[in-house]
Amino acid sequence: MKRYDGRSGSFTQVPEPSPPAPSPAPLPAPPQRRPGPPPGAPLPGFDPGRLLSGLGGLETEDLLLLLILWLLYRESGDIELLIIMAAMYLF
């Protein structure tokens, strides 16, 4: 094989490159994992419907509103605001 030398403007003889080394043996496959529940499936032993049914029949929207009220109270510490907002919700 010839290589061009830009400084002298001549070609020089270069030995052929050796063939590439053989690739290493492939890695063994990782051990198979047991299949888990499909995505979005409830956790075993956890039933959110049963948990929420113990709260007196509150719906999801009710629970979200109560959570927002509690967070507002926690941030401000104003008990009167909590009472007024709870009364507006109940009536």
Side-chain angles (χ1 to χ4, degrees), residues 21-81:
S23 62
L27 297 174
Q32 294 292 330
R33 296 177 62 189
R34 292 189 328 189
L43 297 174
F46 178 71
D47 185 12
R50 189 176 58 128
L51 177 69
L52 296 177
S53 68
L55 296 175
L58 294 176
E59 296 178 3
T60 306
E61 296 84 10
D62 299 333
L63 294 175
L64 287 174
L65 184 60
L66 289 174
L67 176 66
I68 290 171
L69 289 174
W70 180 75
L71 290 175
L72 285 171
Y73 167 70
R74 189 171 152 219
E75 184 177 318
S76 68
D78 187 9
I79 191 75
E80 291 175 1
L81 173 69

